Amino acid sequence: MTPTPTAVALPPVGPSRPGQDAPFGVYVHVPFCFARCGYCDFNTYTPAELGGVNPDAWVAALAGELELAAARLGGPRADTVFVGGGTPSLLGAARLVRVLDLVRRHFGLADDAEVTTEANPESTSPEFFEAIRAAGYTRVSLGMQSVSPRVLAALDRIHSPGRPVAAAREARAAGFEHLNIDLIYGTPGETDDDLVRSVDAALEAGADHVSAYSLIVEDGTALARRVRRGELPSPDGDVLAHRYELVDARLRAAGMDWYEVSNWSRPGAACRHNLGYWNGGRWWGAGPGAHSYDGALRWWNVKHPNTYAQLIADGSLPVAGFEELSAADRHTEDVMLRLRTREGLASAVLDPGERARAEVAVGDGLLSSDGERLVLTDRGRLLADAVVRSLLG
């Protein structure tokens, strides 16, 4: 019999850790997928990899973690909840309702809480959307990626090109006010027209929020192996920049504006949960492989669902490791994250050397400044990571 692994003990909760007044979110990681997309390196498992999927056992383990989490934190009410993965919609509506009930029981929800779930269009239906909306979910994030069959094939996506639009309309009909659609650009074989049609489809489906990410070839993925074998070319940096500009122009023309480098929304439709990440909020990440942050301490759970469940059954938080962030670490993250947002970074948080380098970036047309805040320009957004590195020296 395999012994239960030992969890890593977290340091005691301090009386006044940094960020205690920041918004609090709960992230729930669902580790199940029907099939693995070729570009994905997330902590997900197919039925074959697990020897079958037992979502009820996962929900039971999640209940245990949330109970332990609330005891550790003292039960702050959740301002936002985000159920991601993986493929949360594979759980079905009844289990997703149960997940939200568990968060309510152990933490409580703010009166205006934003509650989001990701969904694969192929595992949804009108009845699915109606049930989760009635339970209190307020936002759905659908993975479209593209409407081009050849792009979907290159990404190993299994949904049909038209299903995301149909699912989006079903979600709207069920009463969802906020609807996000995810796109990926820069896939080998993609054309400008493929991308424009995908953006237009997201708009026609009624999305009030679009996330668009450049394709990244992650080590260990099927896509990386195909690129290494020469079957597909690596994404080209100049092409990625051009495609980003296409997305931005198309969405702006439709009345959306960027609020983070990879995210656009209509007024009032920005995702509050993700803003919590970028603006220094706290969150508890529940589920296998999920990460948490309390303002000064970051920790992460064990990855495998079976190990996760074993540790919780033993009465332990399923923590694999943690790091305590120094003031310098928190400053670096503040610059790195806030500069990606439309609100930008307060100049006052920079030291004299960083302010001098920021002035150079302003002169180079990468940042704009009103004397109090620094915001990436359109050109600066294309080089956001390099701008951050230059500021931090």
Side-chain angles (χ1 to χ4, degrees):
M1 182 175 179
T2 303
T4 300
T6 302
V8 173
L10 293 175
V13 178
S16 58
R17 300 180 76 83
Q20 291 300 293
D21 296 328
F24 175 72
V26 174
Y27 172 75
V28 176
H29 184 72
V30 179
F32 309 126
C33 281
F34 179 76
R36 185 177 301 282
C37 298
Y39 60 91
C40 180
D41 71 338
F42 292 171
N43 186 47
T44 60
Y45 302 85
T46 64
E49 291 169 333
L50 290 175
V53 170
N54 188 340
D56 291 318
W58 171 84
V59 173
L62 176 72
E65 183 183 0
L66 292 175
E67 181 177 2
L68 293 168
R72 175 180 170 84
L73 296 182
R77 289 198 309 170
D79 299 290
T80 63
V81 179
F82 195 106
V83 184
T87 310
S89 49
L90 277 181
L91 294 176
R95 293 189 187 94
L96 280 177
V97 171
R98 170 74 171 147
V99 167
L100 184 54
D101 286 345
L102 289 170
V103 175
R104 278 198 186 96
R105 176 191 305 172
H106 294 297
F107 288 103
L109 296 178
D111 292 340
D112 63 343
E114 174 193 85
V115 183
T116 306
T117 185
E118 295 178 338
N120 185 312
E122 295 293 338
S123 53
T124 62
S125 66
E127 295 76 18
F128 169 87
F129 290 120
E130 289 164 4
I132 64 172
R133 180 69 190 95
Y137 284 82
T138 64
R139 177 187 291 263
V140 170
S141 181
L142 289 170
M144 174 186 283
Q145 318 313 347
S146 177
V147 297
S148 166
R150 64 170 166 266
V151 171
L152 294 174
L155 295 173
D156 292 326
R157 294 288 294 184
I158 61 172
H159 66 73
S160 61
R163 177 56 196 159
V165 172
R169 290 172 176 159
E170 291 166 2
R172 283 294 194 192
F176 279 95
E177 180 182 358
H178 295 306
L179 175 66
N180 180 58
I181 287 182
D182 287 350
L183 300 174
I184 290 178
Y185 61 90
T187 302
E190 178 192 65
T191 65
D192 286 357
D193 183 60
D194 289 331
L195 182 57
V196 168
R197 288 190 297 108
S198 298
V199 174
D200 287 351
L203 294 169
E204 291 165 8
D208 61 353
H209 185 294
V210 172
S211 301
Y213 303 103
S214 64
L215 179 66
I216 298 174
V217 181
E218 301 284 3
D219 289 342
T221 62
L223 179 63
R225 292 190 289 273
R226 295 181 69 187
V227 170
R228 188 168 58 249
R229 292 194 298 261
E231 297 173 12
L232 293 173
S234 295
D236 179 87
D238 290 338
V239 171
L240 292 177
H242 170 64
R243 297 273 161 76
Y244 180 90
E245 291 173 330
L246 276 182
V247 172
D248 186 52
R250 205 74 175 181
L251 292 176
R252 283 186 170 186
M256 288 193 187
D257 207 351
W258 75 284
Y259 70 93
E260 190 274 342
V261 168
S262 298
N263 291 272
W264 292 256
S265 74
R266 299 195 186 281
C271 179
R272 287 166 46 204
H273 185 84
N274 287 341
L275 280 171
Y277 295 147
W278 297 315
N279 290 331
R282 301 173 298 145
W283 73 91
W284 189 284
H291 285 58
S292 303
Y293 178 63
D294 74 352
L297 185 74
R298 177 178 291 110
W299 64 96
W300 48 93
N301 286 349
V302 296
K303 288 188 172 183
H304 200 281
N306 293 342
T307 307
Y308 169 81
Q310 287 174 359
L311 288 171
I312 293 169
D314 196 42
S316 300
L317 283 170
V319 177
F322 69 88
E323 59 179 344
E324 293 205 61
L325 276 65
S326 66
D329 293 332
R330 294 195 298 273
H331 172 75
T332 295
E333 294 203 354
D334 203 31
V335 173
M336 179 178 66
L337 295 173
R338 290 181 187 267
L339 199 60
R340 292 183 61 88
T341 69
R342 183 60 182 261
E343 291 187 358
L345 177 71
S347 303
V349 307
L350 300 179
D351 65 31
E354 291 167 342
R355 283 196 291 272
R357 291 189 288 273
E359 290 176 7
V360 173
V362 170
D364 290 340
L366 300 173
L367 291 173
S368 64
S369 174
D370 62 2
E372 295 185 358
R373 304 195 73 80
L374 297 162
V375 178
L376 290 167
T377 62
D378 289 349
R379 179 167 169 261
R381 278 189 285 152
L382 298 174
L383 301 166
D385 292 342
V387 175
V388 168
R389 288 194 299 269
S390 70
L391 286 189
L392 294 171

